[in-house]
């Protein structure tokens, strides 16, 4: 259990770096297949692989990292489209509720990864 918790902490650090330090003001993440969305998801794939390669086999690290990137891409894609459809602005409570839900779903992705490792 201790090692799984450590992996989770590393994945959360990776998430903070990719979502906040490497994030760019891409305005195209609501367009499926857009460059910005793919680059952002790739940051998550690479970061997850760097974390996971120390704890699981190479093929599993690749698989789980790609899973992270696919989940991250689609969560962000949905969030950006919801923001666009409802014309949400950062001054609105619903905007921040959606941001919180987005982050919660990303955390659940890491819970899934940890669960898959522990199975």
């Amino acid at each position: 259990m201790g090692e799984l918790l450590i992996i989770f902490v590393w994945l959360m650090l990776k998430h903070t770096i990719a979502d906040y330090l490497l994030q760019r003001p891409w305005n195209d993440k609501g367009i499926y297949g857009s460059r910005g969305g793919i680059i952002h998801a790739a940051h998550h794939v690479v970061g997850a692989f760097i974390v996971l390669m120390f704890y699981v086999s190479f093929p599993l690290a690749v698989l789980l990292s790609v899973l992270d990137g696919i989940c991250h891409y689609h969560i962000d894609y949905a969030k950006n489209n919801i923001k666009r459809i409802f014309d949400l602005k950062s001054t609105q409570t619903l905007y921040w509720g959606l941001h919180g839900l987005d982050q919660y779903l990303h955390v659940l992705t890491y819970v899934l990864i940890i669960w898959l490792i522990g199975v």
Side-chain angles (χ1 to χ4, degrees), residues 35-103:
R35 183 175 184 266
I38 291 171
I39 291 170
H40 180 64
H43 289 155
H44 284 278
V45 172
V46 170
F49 179 76
I50 290 169
V51 169
L52 295 172
M53 70 179 186
F54 294 103
Y55 297 98
V56 298
S57 68
F58 180 84
L60 186 57
V62 169
L63 181 66
L64 294 175
S65 299
V66 170
L67 173 67
D68 182 28
I70 290 169
C71 289
H72 200 97
Y73 180 87
H74 289 92
I75 291 166
D76 282 4
Y77 172 77
K79 176 191 69 177
N80 281 282
N81 278 289
I82 292 168
K83 282 183 357 188
R84 179 185 52 78
I85 291 166
F86 292 100
D87 193 29
L88 297 178
K89 307 291 185 235
S90 63
T91 56
Q92 296 173 286
T93 301
L94 189 55
Y95 174 97
W96 292 106
L98 184 61
H99 179 75
L101 177 61
D102 166 82
Q103 294 302 300

Side-chain angles (χ1 to χ4, degrees), residues 12-26 29 39-40 43-44 72 99 103:
M12 288 304 301
L13 176 61
K14 177 277 302 180
H15 180 81
T16 302
I17 292 167
D19 252 24
Y20 294 99
L21 299 178
L22 298 177
Q23 184 76 265
R24 297 293 173 256
W26 291 300
K29 286 180 13 179
I39 291 170
H40 180 64
H43 289 155
H44 284 278
H72 200 97
H99 179 75
Q103 294 302 300

